[in-house]
Amino acid sequence: MLDRPQQQTVPFETALSDWWRSQAQSFRESVSLSAARACFRAGYTAGKQTTERRFVFKAGRMRITVWATGIVEAKKKAEAEADFRAAKKGWPTPKTGWQLQEEK
């Protein structure tokens, strides 16, 4: 029988509910679940991307966020995303290419 690849990550809702139930009752009473969900999502997303960093670029009117191992890969991903978004909205792509400005 062929080995099936094991799931590498836990679904977000499962991880959130496990974490929320593990917190003390006093914490659960003092923090709303929606606020805890927002904070947990940020940590969960960053934790899944251990080999990658988050890059944010400004391209025209768009703000594009990508996860990549380095700046060169991040720019390629951001350009592809900018092309996709422009095509979806019917905007022409710049003749000189996207001028990406990294936000910090």
Side-chain angles (χ1 to χ4, degrees):
M1 178 174 203
L2 297 174
D3 288 334
R4 293 187 179 169
Q6 296 295 319
Q7 184 177 359
Q8 295 295 325
T9 60
V10 176
F12 175 77
E13 288 299 325
T14 304
L16 174 65
S17 64
D18 289 348
W19 173 79
W20 184 250
R21 285 190 310 241
S22 71
Q23 300 304 310
Q25 183 67 28
S26 60
F27 176 79
R28 286 185 281 170
E29 291 171 356
S30 66
V31 177
S32 71
L33 181 58
S34 62
R37 176 186 302 272
C39 294
F40 185 81
R41 181 175 302 281
Y44 182 79
T45 302
K48 283 177 29 179
Q49 312 289 347
T50 57
T51 60
E52 298 179 334
R53 292 179 27 227
R54 181 175 172 260
F55 294 90
V56 180
F57 296 99
K58 189 105 167 127
R61 308 181 219 181
M62 299 179 282
R63 184 172 184 263
I64 300 172
T65 302
V66 295
W67 288 87
T69 55
I71 190 73
V72 174
E73 180 187 357
K75 284 187 177 183
K76 286 180 185 176
K77 286 183 175 183
E79 287 172 357
E81 179 66 19
D83 288 340
F84 173 76
R85 291 185 192 181
K88 191 166 77 172
K89 295 193 182 224
W91 297 341
T93 57
K95 292 179 184 177
T96 59
W98 294 102
Q99 300 299 315
L100 298 173
Q101 296 175 351
E102 187 175 0
E103 291 186 355
K104 300 207 178 196

